[in-house]
Amino acid sequence: MTTKHPAWRVEISFVDAPPVRQIERASGVSAVEAAGPVVRCLVAGSFQPFLEALRGHEVITLQSMPAVGASSSARVKEGL
């Protein structure tokens, strides 16, 4: 039986350069896009690996909303 994990569209802004490589490597994270100090991505399942990737970097804002059409971790990994 496959467990479905909610997927979230996340936008986060940093004081300095964002840790894009760490975010890209975090489990459950996909579709990472960076524009200056702002990073947008999809997070499926637990937020813990994503939050650990931010360690040591000052965050100004963090917003998340349910990702429409990306309700399972498999779909998020495919970038849908």
Side-chain angles (χ1 to χ4, degrees):
M1 182 170 150
T2 303
T3 303
K4 294 196 178 208
H5 299 286
W8 297 88
R9 188 164 304 281
V10 178
E11 180 176 297
I12 186 166
S13 59
F14 296 85
V15 170
D16 294 317
V20 177
R21 296 234 189 264
Q22 290 96 307
I23 293 170
E24 289 173 333
R25 289 192 302 251
S27 178
V29 176
S30 65
V32 178
E33 299 175 359
V38 177
V39 174
R40 292 175 190 87
C41 63
L42 294 176
V43 177
S46 173
F47 263 74
Q48 192 61 38
F50 172 73
L51 294 173
E52 289 174 5
L54 308 181
R55 182 175 291 147
H57 297 271
E58 189 172 350
V59 173
I60 297 173
T61 63
L62 187 150
Q63 299 176 353
S64 65
M65 66 180 67
V68 178
S71 60
S72 73
S73 59
R75 292 180 80 185
V76 170
K77 287 181 181 178
E78 293 170 3
L80 299 175

